[in-house]
Amino acid sequence: MTISLTDQTHTNLLKTIEYKASVYAKTTSPDQKKELGQFFTDYHIADYMANLFSFNMPKAKTIEILDCGAGHGILSISLLNILIQKSYTKFDLTLYEIDPGVLQDLHQNLLSYKKEHPHITLNYRVIEKNFILDPIESKFDLIISNPPYFKLKKESPEAKAMIHLVHGQPNIYMLFMAKSADLLKETGEMVFITPRSFTSGAYFKRFREYLLDAVSLDHIHIFNTRREHFKNESILQETIITKFSKQDNPNITITSSEDSTFSYIEELSTTKDLVVEKYRNIICIPSSADDLEILDLFHTAPSTLQDLGYKISTGKVVTFRNKELLSTTPQSLFDKEKEYCPLLWMHNFKNDDLLFPLDHKKEQYIEFSDRSKALLIPTQNYLLIKRFSSKEQHRRINIGYLYKKDLSSSYVGLENHLNYLYRNDRELTSQEMKKLGSFLISAEVDKYFRILNGNTQVNAADILNLPVPPELYKG
Ligand SMILES: C[S@@+](CC[C@H](N)C(=O)[O-])C[C@H]1O[C@@H](n2cnc3c(N)ncnc32)[C@H](O)[C@@H]1O
């Protein structure tokens, strides 16, 4: 798909708005940016987003548009440009913006646009109120938004206003998306640019369920490089563009580009069933035919690791909180009576081996006493899984094998960056450990995990809900 703006004046206008926004961004403090979640869209992205709508409304219709968190209006104006190119002439535009500092530019940009386009009917209103808290009666044909992003306290008025979506600490952008979904007309569509975080993760589960029930996800665009998509801002969040429509659509298009210049776009179409994982409504983002095969393999698997009876828990030793219980030596220099047991970190596991004790600056032992007992677990066979890894790493799932036979103590402490896999009904056998381990570090699981999870965490729930294709789980 190549998208080009034929009208040079339109491009120039968008560039001017982008420039004004960048000048404004330089004058605002990092605190204000954070408080308002203010990161302005560059004109390439604005243009790309505006082009994603379907434009199948009757040409004579007055198109009702909403831009929530409008900033300098770059998204609305990009959309008006495209609509005019497609021969629409009547528009009713509503913009929400709470930062008084941008309002003058916003009004000026809209006014100049109206003056420059005397042949169109453009009614616009800028509502200087909080989009989440303002009761809105109207419904819209098209909603376009780069909403603010920041974490909200659970007791904030915004979180309270949409408490039905909140689980853990909400981010304001998801409230913008959910409220917009409610404001669409029956044939309406919305396009958002947001962090990728909502597509997976337990905190967003309730929101995903709500959103995917209210609207149909028709298009996802991802950027292959984590370069800055917002000029003048160093946001290293993975960012995606999504298009939703009120009408149900069984298919989805996924596009990707190297960066926000969209110089080369790859496109993939598939069924939504393949992309939305059914256990937790996780939105997977495949970017090649190979990825689609992987999704098919995993999403048709008969059971997950949880279905097979496995459990997972997190290592309980948070070292900075339990400093007084830890030691670098197996005995206390001051109290010979004190008993110690091993404290294992990920660095204690290399390939298939446990390396303990290690010559390492980190503490290797934890006190074995009544005050530490709650942090320890009985020494058994466990499969350990590192809780954090990044996209850039060779493997997203990093494991270690802990065999009972390798430790002489009957208890062991596991550092908090580790999860451990076990069963409640019996101990894992050595053969089973190898089978599980080979499955988890297989190239297929790595590919699946990368499609599924865009953040740096490898959560317990991600592992437990991992579908187990029988062809990969042998031995
Ligand atoms: C990420 S910026 C995007 C601005 C502009 N749409 C763009 O794409 O360049 C989000 C904007 O939302 C505004 N905003 C933040 N919280 C808001 C709220 N509760 N209601 C309305 N606007 C809000 C901010 O001041 C900021 O201008």
Side-chain angles (χ1 to χ4, degrees):
M1 179 163 60
T2 38
I3 290 173
S4 62
L5 256 189
T6 43
D7 189 339
Q8 194 54 37
T9 10
H10 286 160
T11 314
N12 289 341
L13 175 65
L14 294 181
K15 279 187 180 167
T16 311
I17 299 175
E18 183 189 301
Y19 175 72
K20 281 190 196 169
S22 72
V23 170
Y24 181 72
K26 283 198 186 105
T27 66
T28 53
S29 67
D31 279 353
Q32 178 184 334
K33 281 185 194 130
K34 214 169 151 191
E35 200 179 313
L36 291 171
Q38 200 166 54
F39 306 104
F40 300 119
T41 316
D42 78 32
Y43 80 91
H44 281 116
I45 293 187
D47 185 40
Y48 183 80
M49 287 172 67
N51 266 291
L52 285 180
F53 291 98
S54 313
F55 307 106
N56 47 16
M57 304 151 293
K59 303 284 178 208
K61 182 179 158 47
T62 300
I63 312 294
E64 290 176 72
I65 305 169
L66 169 68
D67 179 350
C68 37
H72 296 76
I74 195 161
L75 295 178
S76 295
I77 291 178
S78 299
L79 181 55
L80 288 172
N81 281 343
I82 312 283
L83 284 162
I84 293 172
Q85 281 174 18
K86 306 252 177 216
S87 310
Y88 292 93
T89 55
K90 289 186 267 175
F91 312 103
D92 228 330
L93 171 63
T94 303
L95 307 101
Y96 270 83
E97 176 52 62
I98 45 165
D99 176 11
V102 301
L103 291 173
Q104 197 189 344
D105 271 349
L106 177 59
H107 279 286
Q108 203 181 30
N109 291 339
L110 292 164
L111 202 62
S112 333
Y113 194 81
K114 199 172 151 101
K115 277 202 192 133
E116 281 166 23
H117 296 83
H119 63 290
I120 63 163
T121 311
L122 170 61
N123 294 314
Y124 67 84
R125 80 193 71 81
V126 177
I127 303 183
E128 299 166 22
K129 289 185 183 165
N130 188 320
F131 173 63
I132 301 299
L133 302 181
D134 195 34
I136 306 173
E137 295 295 325
S138 329
K139 298 269 176 185
F140 300 90
D141 297 298
L142 307 178
I143 301 179
I144 191 162
S145 178
N146 172 4
Y149 328 136
F150 56 85
K151 286 189 179 146
L152 285 168
K153 292 211 168 72
K154 247 184 149 172
E155 44 305 333
S156 66
E158 290 90 348
K160 280 191 177 156
M162 301 186 77
I163 198 72
H164 55 293
L165 301 177
V166 173
H167 170 76
Q169 196 178 24
N171 194 308
I172 192 161
Y173 83 81
M174 75 181 213
L175 304 185
F176 267 65
M177 290 174 93
K179 180 155 183 175
S180 296
D182 290 342
L183 294 176
L184 281 180
K185 290 187 191 175
E186 273 320 298
T187 51
E189 294 179 341
M190 63 185 208
V191 173
F192 271 75
I193 181 163
T194 62
R196 179 179 174 169
S197 50
F198 78 90
T199 59
S200 63
Y203 280 177
F204 289 98
K205 181 169 179 265
R206 208 175 279 173
F207 162 69
R208 280 195 303 276
E209 276 164 7
Y210 185 85
L211 187 74
L212 296 176
D213 193 46
V215 284
S216 166
L217 173 58
D218 292 349
H219 193 129
I220 306 174
H221 182 86
I222 55 165
F223 300 97
N224 294 333
T225 47
R226 273 211 269 183
R227 270 229 337 248
E228 294 163 17
H229 302 305
F230 298 98
K231 293 246 171 83
N232 309 300
E233 311 294 347
S234 33
I235 304 209
L236 280 177
Q237 273 265 20
E238 267 201 276
T239 307
I240 59 173
I241 296 171
T242 41
K243 177 200 161 196
F244 300 85
S245 61
K246 201 74 185 162
Q247 299 283 307
D248 203 22
N249 178 356
N251 298 316
I252 182 163
T253 302
I254 294 158
T255 48
S256 58
S257 60
E258 239 2 74
D259 54 31
S260 58
T261 57
F262 300 93
S263 44
Y264 176 69
I265 299 175
E266 278 193 81
E267 181 171 332
L268 200 71
S269 287
T270 184
T271 59
K272 212 163 293 170
D273 289 350
L274 205 60
V275 165
V276 181
E277 183 249 25
K278 61 179 184 282
Y279 299 104
R280 290 171 295 153
N281 262 335
I282 284 179
I283 300 162
C284 302
I285 311 188
S287 53
S288 64
D290 193 29
D291 285 355
L292 289 182
E293 275 178 32
I294 289 286
L295 283 181
D296 192 33
L297 177 68
F298 281 82
H299 288 174
T300 53
S303 39
T304 60
L305 282 178
Q306 185 165 30
D307 298 334
L308 298 179
Y310 293 102
K311 303 275 171 206
I312 199 163
S313 298
T314 300
K316 294 181 187 63
V317 186
V318 180
T319 51
F320 70 88
R321 277 201 211 124
N322 299 292
K323 271 269 173 237
E324 74 290 355
L325 299 172
L326 310 183
S327 165
T328 46
T329 54
Q331 265 148 15
S332 163
L333 295 176
F334 310 105
D335 182 354
K336 297 279 178 234
E337 298 296 295
K338 262 191 187 170
E339 276 188 71
Y340 280 91
C341 56
L343 167 65
L344 301 180
W345 306 64
M346 197 59 198
H347 55 239
N348 290 105
F349 298 91
K350 193 133 202 214
N351 301 326
D352 287 359
D353 297 324
L354 169 68
L355 308 177
F356 182 85
L358 258 187
D359 186 15
H360 204 281
K361 59 182 188 305
K362 301 274 191 200
E363 295 88 345
Q364 301 266 312
Y365 299 91
I366 177 163
E367 190 180 299
F368 179 70
S369 64
D370 282 346
R371 62 176 188 155
S372 69
K373 221 166 169 186
L375 304 178
L376 306 176
I377 54 171
T379 305
Q380 279 190 14
N381 290 348
Y382 297 112
L383 192 78
L384 303 174
I385 303 154
K386 206 171 160 188
R387 288 177 56 210
F388 298 90
S389 65
S390 73
K391 189 171 164 176
E392 289 74 21
Q393 272 178 277
H394 165 60
R395 217 179 248 149
R396 284 298 319 272
I397 298 185
N398 297 292
I399 63 162
Y401 297 98
L402 173 58
Y403 293 105
K404 188 176 182 169
K405 66 174 173 46
D406 292 340
L407 292 178
S408 53
S409 66
S410 42
Y411 282 86
V412 61
L414 294 181
E415 196 273 330
N416 186 247
H417 287 82
L418 293 172
N419 278 323
Y420 57 101
L421 191 90
Y422 58 98
R423 297 185 72 94
N424 273 343
D425 52 350
R426 58 173 174 77
E427 191 165 352
L428 301 181
T429 65
S430 311
Q431 197 195 8
E432 186 180 18
M433 294 260 286
K434 279 284 169 222
K435 192 168 148 180
L436 281 165
S438 311
F439 169 64
L440 287 174
I441 62 167
S442 65
E444 289 85 351
V445 167
D446 187 60
K447 280 187 194 158
Y448 179 63
F449 205 79
R450 284 173 195 273
I451 305 170
L452 185 82
N453 175 315
N455 57 46
T456 56
Q457 293 173 28
V458 180
N459 295 318
D462 291 335
I463 300 291
L464 276 188
N465 287 290
L466 207 56
V468 186
E471 48 275 64
L472 296 181
Y473 191 59
K474 296 188 264 207

